[in-house]
């Protein structure tokens, strides 16, 4: 694929994000409208697209994705654990801040941007499988673990800087790759209050499994493995709903960036952004070449190469300090701007 062909895939995605940004700046979408875009994407359109694509995928193709599952688990979970340890032990950051910043480094917004870019590169059906695999890993494992860490009491050392905000009264698990609810834009101090119960593993995992973004691909997987064909009526109906996924997702990305505002270009913001869109995908790609095939390495690297997801921003608003909210929100914006250059270069690099 030539560089011109790569830009043919990437540029329309960013143009639609720019349209969303413009509507956000002109306040054509208020907080409720932006949330409606997110819910339409994550609760209806994207689950329908993943369900249909995986349902139509032959069983032997799904079995061949096991190396991809392992490589994505390495990229999300193992790298998160390493970053958490470095931030906590070497940089001596408070637990909540370390958990939030490590999450911002490894959780991209592939669910919103991936359907367009990966679909343009690999085809819609081929792109659905890695997106669904990543969604299950993050929703069912990574985000619940982070919420458990954020609910743990802090034990600051003398002179250490604390995260500064009390834990939220109730745990909230956002769907992967989705934007934060509008409450994420408020300072964390607004969420302060008496500490509530610590989130439990069964509760957070159960919440994740109730999300259509999780059970939709799982249902498609079950139907595909069982050899159940897609009825023509179901195919037509799901296709109509799935057609809205890319457009509404990209519009929401632009609107959410407009609501975050101008980024603060601090060293921490640069570190999180560059780790997300450069270091992590290259690390996973190199590891994939050693452990699996070039095709699997390319898919995993591109899943991890998208900008920082707004989900860590939501977690920061509920469990972190106002400084954490500013830093992660700025990283969301800066990583999006950087990805306009880094994504085409990475696609060119991996062929």
């Amino acid at each position: 694929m030539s560089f011109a062909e790569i830009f043919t895939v990437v540029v329309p995605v960013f143009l639609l994000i720019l349209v969303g940004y413009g509507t956000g700046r002109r306040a054509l979408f208020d907080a409720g409208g932006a949330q409606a875009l997110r819910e339409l994407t994550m609760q209806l359109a994207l689950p329908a697209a993943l369900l249909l694509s995986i349902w139509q995928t032959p069983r032997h193709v799904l079995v061949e994705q096991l190396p991809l599952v392992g490589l994505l688990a390495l990229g999300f979970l193992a790298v998160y654990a390493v970053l958490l340890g470095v931030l906590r032990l070497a940089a001596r950051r408070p637990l909540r801040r370390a958990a939030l910043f490590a999450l911002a480094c490894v959780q991209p917004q592939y669910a919103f941007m991936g359907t367009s870019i990966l679909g343009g590169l690999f085809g819609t059906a081929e792109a659905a499988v890695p997106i669904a695999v990543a969604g299950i890993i993050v929703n069912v494992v990574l985000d619940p673990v982070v919420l458990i860490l954020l609910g743990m009491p802090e034990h600051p050392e003398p002179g250490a800087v604390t995260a500064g905000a009390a834990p939220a009264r109730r745990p909230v698990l956002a769907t992967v790759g989705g934007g934060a609810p509008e409450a994420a834009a408020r300072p964390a101090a607004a969420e302060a209050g008496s500490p509530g119960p610590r989130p439990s593993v069964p509760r957070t995992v159960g919440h994740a499994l109730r999300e259509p973004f999780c059970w939709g691909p799982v249902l498609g997987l079950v139907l595909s493995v069982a050899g159940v064909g897609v009825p023509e009526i179901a195919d037509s109906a799901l296709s109509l709903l799935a057609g809205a996924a890319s457009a509404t997702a990209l519009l929401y990305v632009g609107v959410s960036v407009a609501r975050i505002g101008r980024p603060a270009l601090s060293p921490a913001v640069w570190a999180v952004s560059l780790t997300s869109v450069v270091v992590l995908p290259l690390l996973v790609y190199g590891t994939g070449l050693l452990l699996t095939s070039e095709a699997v390495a390319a898919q995993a690297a591109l899943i991890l190469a998208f900008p920082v997801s707004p989900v860590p921003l939501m977690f920061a608003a509920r469990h972190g300090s106002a400084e954490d909210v500013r830093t992660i929100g700025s990283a969301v914006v800066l990583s999006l701007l950087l990805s306009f250059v880094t994504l085409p270069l990475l696609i060119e690099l991996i062929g």
Side-chain angles (χ1 to χ4, degrees):
M1 179 177 285
S2 68
F3 209 70
E5 291 173 319
I6 293 172
F7 264 86
T8 301
V9 173
V10 173
V11 170
V13 172
F14 283 89
L15 287 177
L16 199 51
I17 291 174
L18 187 61
V19 170
Y21 178 82
T23 60
R25 293 290 294 176
R26 296 186 60 187
L28 296 182
F29 285 100
D30 58 9
Q35 185 68 6
L37 280 177
R38 175 186 177 274
E39 296 302 320
L40 172 60
T41 302
M42 301 305 296
Q43 302 293 333
L44 294 173
L46 188 54
L50 296 178
L51 167 61
L52 180 61
S53 296
I54 296 176
W55 193 355
Q56 293 172 330
T57 304
R59 277 178 290 189
H60 72 275
V61 175
L62 294 175
V63 173
E64 293 170 358
Q65 301 301 316
L66 290 178
L68 177 64
V69 175
L71 191 55
L72 284 175
L74 174 69
F76 285 119
L77 306 178
V79 174
Y80 177 81
V82 171
L83 289 175
L84 179 65
V86 170
L87 289 170
R88 181 64 176 149
L89 302 177
R92 305 190 69 82
R93 294 293 186 268
L95 177 60
R96 290 187 198 131
R97 178 167 294 178
L100 288 169
F101 282 18
L103 182 66
C105 289
V106 303
Q107 184 164 344
Q109 47 181 296
Y110 56 83
F112 279 151
M113 298 177 65
T115 51
S116 298
I117 293 181
L118 296 182
L121 294 174
F122 302 116
T124 303
E126 289 79 2
V129 175
I131 291 174
V133 169
I136 292 171
I137 291 173
V138 175
N139 260 357
V140 178
V141 182
L142 179 60
D143 281 349
V145 167
V146 173
L147 282 173
I148 300 301
L149 294 174
L150 293 175
M152 295 177 66
E154 290 278 15
H155 299 289
E157 298 180 4
V161 179
T162 62
R169 291 184 176 86
R170 59 185 180 89
V172 175
L173 185 61
T175 47
V176 61
E182 298 308 316
R186 299 195 301 265
E191 299 289 339
S194 58
R198 288 173 53 183
S200 65
V201 174
R203 182 177 180 183
T204 50
V205 171
H207 183 99
L209 291 174
R210 289 195 298 269
E211 293 289 338
F213 188 81
C214 270
W215 63 255
V218 172
L219 177 59
L221 176 64
V222 171
L223 293 172
S224 175
V225 171
V228 179
V230 183
E232 185 176 350
I233 293 178
D235 190 352
S236 300
L238 289 172
S239 296
L240 287 173
L241 186 55
S246 295
T248 56
L250 296 175
L251 285 173
Y252 176 76
V253 171
V255 172
S256 63
V257 167
R259 296 183 67 82
I260 292 172
R262 181 179 300 178
L265 303 181
S266 66
V269 172
W270 278 103
V272 171
S273 301
L274 290 174
T275 300
S276 174
V277 300
V278 177
V279 177
L280 181 60
L282 290 178
L283 175 64
V284 169
Y285 182 63
T287 305
L289 291 179
L290 294 175
L291 301 178
T292 63
S293 67
E294 185 176 359
V296 172
Q299 285 184 320
L302 287 174
I303 281 286
L304 292 163
F306 292 108
V308 177
S309 169
V311 172
L313 177 60
M314 183 200 73
F315 288 172
R318 291 181 173 272
H319 298 272
S321 66
E323 180 182 353
D324 298 334
V325 173
R326 285 193 299 270
T327 300
I328 296 177
S330 296
V332 171
V333 179
L334 178 60
S335 63
L336 178 63
L337 298 176
L338 291 174
S339 66
F340 182 74
V341 176
T342 59
L343 267 174
L345 290 177
L346 180 64
I347 296 169
E348 174 72 11
L349 172 66
I350 66 179

